[in-house]
């Protein structure tokens, strides 16, 4: 039909976002947050090595509007510039007509960006989108899974445990590790470690075979399949961590360095938001509509 003669057609409903689309939208949020904190300007680099966003903060409205304005100003294609101009006007109109003074002061949450792009998104799918984001951020603190020690070394350690296990008790005492009780001076001098040292390291308790393997295992390796801790050659320790909100099990540093702590704070904030939206999904499934995001209880 000639332009202007047909009837207006409703906009097609966008299908729910997939993981790739969600992370693309999330990167826009990261660029706005990171560049605004740095110098108030924006670029499209999206450099993952830059200072991480340390919390799930709301974007200030002036930051959102500045970003939209610069997208329009620097668009190379006239069609893209036209779309960016419409977005710029729509955002300003939304702020003026669809927000309260309190909402303007609180800013724009990440989930509001999602709902602008996918207007019909449900609370359950927002929870899924936030899960993808959380998994994406969790990968940044994940360490490679340590290798298991080879079977020959494991057998040698098991034989060592059995030779120390006087009476086949199934566990070792500090005295067992030190070579036995009531040792003479010569026998004590032959031992690498004494009972007091064992107690100082492990405590005054018994040591099972699995723990003995972990204590004696070579650095950077797991002693057995169920081992949840590994000592690294540099003295740091890895621990296996299960994050139930995103249902992922990863290896991380037991004592994170200062530069990693903001990343962990961000992951925890994302997980809190996931739980919040999962609770809201339950309400929606029960026929209860959502209140404003800011009043949804974020407690466990």
């Amino acid at each position: 039909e000639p332009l202007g003669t047909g009837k207006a057609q409703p906009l097609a409903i966008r299908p729910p976002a997939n993981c790739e689309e969600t992370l693309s939208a999330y990167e826009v949020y990261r660029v706005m947050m990171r560049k605004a904190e740095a110098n108030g300007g924006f670029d499209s680099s999206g450099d993952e090595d830059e200072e991480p966003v340390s919390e799930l903060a709301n974007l200030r409205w002036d930051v959102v509007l500045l970003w939209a304005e610069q997208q329009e100003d620097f668009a190379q294609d006239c069609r893209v510039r036209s779309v960016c101009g419409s977005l710029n006007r729509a955002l300003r109109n939304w702020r003026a007509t669809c927000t309260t003074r309190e909402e303007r002061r609180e800013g724009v949450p990440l989930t509001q960006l999602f709902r602008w792009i996918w207007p019909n998104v449900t609370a359950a799918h927002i929870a899924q989108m936030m899960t993808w984001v959380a998994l994406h951020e969790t990968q940044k603190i994940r360490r490679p899974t340590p290798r298991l020690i080879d079977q020959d070394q494991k057998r040698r350690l098991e034989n060592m445990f059995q030779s120390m296990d006087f009476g086949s008790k199934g566990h070792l005492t500090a005295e067992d590790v030190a070579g036995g009780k009531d040792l003479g001076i010569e026998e004590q001098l032959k031992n690498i470690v004494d009972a007091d040292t064992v107690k100082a390291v492990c405590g005054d308790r018994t040591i099972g075979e699995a723990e003995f393997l972990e204590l004696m295992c070579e650095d950077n390796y797991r002693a057995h399949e169920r081992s949840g801790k590994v000592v690294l050659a540099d003295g740091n320790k890895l621990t296996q961590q299960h994050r139930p909100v995103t249902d992922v099990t990863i290896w991380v540093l037991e004592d994170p360095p200062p530069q990693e702590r903001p990343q962990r704070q961000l992951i925890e904030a994302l997980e809190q938001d996931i739980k919040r939206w999962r609770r809201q999904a339950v309400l929606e499934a029960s026929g209860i509509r959502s209140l404003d995001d800011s009043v949804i209880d974020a407690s466990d």
Side-chain angles (χ1 to χ4, degrees):
E1 296 177 348
L3 184 64
T5 61
K7 293 183 179 180
Q9 298 295 320
L11 291 174
I13 297 175
R14 295 194 65 173
N18 58 31
C19 180
E20 182 179 358
E21 291 169 334
T22 297
L23 294 182
S24 294
Y26 175 61
E27 184 55 31
V28 172
Y29 164 86
R30 281 175 51 87
V31 168
M32 283 194 279
M33 182 65 73
R34 189 173 55 229
K35 296 300 183 182
E37 290 177 351
N39 53 27
F42 303 98
D43 63 36
S44 58
S45 65
D47 188 352
E48 290 289 338
D49 294 330
E50 295 190 44
E51 184 89 10
V53 177
S54 61
E55 58 180 334
L56 197 62
N58 291 353
L59 291 164
R60 299 196 318 269
W61 265 104
D62 63 309
V63 171
V64 175
L65 296 177
L66 176 61
W67 175 83
E69 181 179 318
Q70 292 190 355
Q71 295 303 302
E72 181 180 2
D73 291 344
F74 295 111
Q76 299 293 321
D77 187 280
C78 61
R79 291 169 295 182
V80 174
R81 185 179 298 111
S82 175
V83 171
C84 291
S86 297
L87 172 63
N88 194 359
R89 291 188 296 273
L91 287 172
R92 295 178 185 278
N93 182 64
W94 177 283
R95 182 179 185 275
T97 62
C98 299
T99 61
T100 64
R101 181 179 299 178
E102 181 179 0
E103 288 170 335
R104 289 193 290 272
R105 184 176 65 252
E106 290 179 349
V108 181
L110 170 62
T111 49
Q112 182 62 65
L113 296 183
F114 289 161
R115 289 188 290 178
W116 280 337
I117 302 171
W118 295 277
N120 296 298
V121 68
T122 63
H125 197 68
I126 289 180
Q128 178 60 66
M129 294 168 76
M130 295 302 287
T131 299
W132 287 327
V133 171
L135 288 170
H136 171 73
E137 293 293 352
T138 300
Q139 291 300 314
K140 297 176 184 179
I141 65 169
R142 185 175 198 160
R143 304 289 170 147
T145 301
R147 294 172 53 190
L148 286 167
I149 58 173
D150 61 53
Q151 289 300 311
D152 288 341
Q153 184 180 3
K154 184 178 180 182
R155 277 193 294 269
R156 286 196 296 269
L157 293 177
E158 289 170 341
N159 292 336
M160 185 186 300
F161 176 86
Q162 292 165 10
S163 67
M164 291 180 176
D165 183 13
F166 303 110
S168 300
K169 304 180 296 298
H171 61 262
L172 303 179
T173 64
E175 288 78 11
D176 291 333
V177 178
K181 292 183 179 181
D182 304 322
L183 297 178
I185 297 298
E186 291 186 8
E187 288 79 4
Q188 292 182 29
L189 292 175
K190 292 178 182 177
N191 291 329
I192 298 175
V193 64
D194 58 73
D196 290 336
T197 301
V198 176
K199 291 177 182 178
V201 174
C202 302
D204 190 7
R205 58 183 177 82
T206 60
I207 301 170
E209 182 175 348
E211 184 179 1
F212 177 81
L213 295 180
E214 293 171 7
L215 289 170
M216 303 300 292
C217 181
E218 181 182 353
D219 289 349
N220 298 328
Y221 286 86
R222 285 183 294 151
H224 52 83
E225 287 283 0
R226 301 184 308 279
S227 180
K229 290 185 183 295
V230 167
V231 177
L232 301 178
D234 61 6
N236 285 313
K237 295 180 180 178
L238 291 182
T239 184
Q240 192 178 55
Q241 181 185 84
H242 180 69
R243 306 194 74 92
V245 175
T246 51
D247 192 25
V248 63
T249 300
I250 58 174
W251 286 86
V252 297
L253 286 172
E254 187 173 77
D255 296 314
Q259 62 270 24
E260 190 177 291
R261 289 170 190 163
Q263 183 66 25
R264 296 201 182 195
Q265 293 170 3
L266 172 60
I267 294 167
E268 290 170 2
L270 286 164
E271 290 174 345
Q272 288 298 316
D273 218 43
I274 293 167
K275 291 191 286 186
R276 187 168 68 102
W277 282 100
R278 285 175 179 171
R279 286 193 293 272
Q280 185 56 40
V282 173
L283 294 178
E284 281 191 4
S286 302
I288 303 173
R289 293 300 301 167
S290 169
L291 298 176
D292 181 76
D293 290 350
S294 62
V295 299
I296 300 175
D297 182 17
S299 63
D300 288 332

